[in-house]
Amino acid sequence: MEKTLNITKALSDGNRLRVIMALTGYDELCVCQITEMLGHATATVSRHMSVLQNAGLVKSRKEGRWVYYRLSETFPRLLLQWLNDSAGNADEINRDKEKLKAVVSCGLDELCKTQRQRRESRSA
């Protein structure tokens, strides 16, 4: 029962649900791409990803300075199908899909540079 509770708690947040829906369209996404899609600070996104990972819904891998996330192979397929059926065409999910198209087409170095510049201009 604890596993079920962890999964439902992880999916009870709209941002985490948006990430899951985004990952259904890609083999994997870099944390900087997820950050750009959500429009939140990297630390906030990392906390969301940690909750999803602790619930066994996503897996991560590190490659150099990049951390990539993908849906876990143990993600309950019936749950994923239900999420797609119930939320897959929500306006916010459709906006995320469009935003991700642009984000994914941008190189990771360029994306991170842009994010770094934004952070520096906010702190100045």
Side-chain angles (χ1 to χ4, degrees), residues 19 28 32 38 48 51 57 80 85 88 92 106 116-117 123:
V19 170
E28 63 182 9
C32 62
L38 293 176
H48 284 307
V51 169
L57 298 176
L80 191 56
D85 291 346
E92 193 166 24
C106 180
R116 197 171 31 258
Q117 288 171 341
S123 65

Side-chain angles (χ1 to χ4, degrees), residues 19 35 43 46-47 51 61 67-69 77 82 87 108 112 123:
V19 170
T35 298
S46 292
R47 277 194 304 275
V51 169
R61 72 175 179 90
V67 178
Y68 294 90
Y69 289 93
R77 294 299 159 204
W82 178 77
L108 293 180
C112 287
S123 65

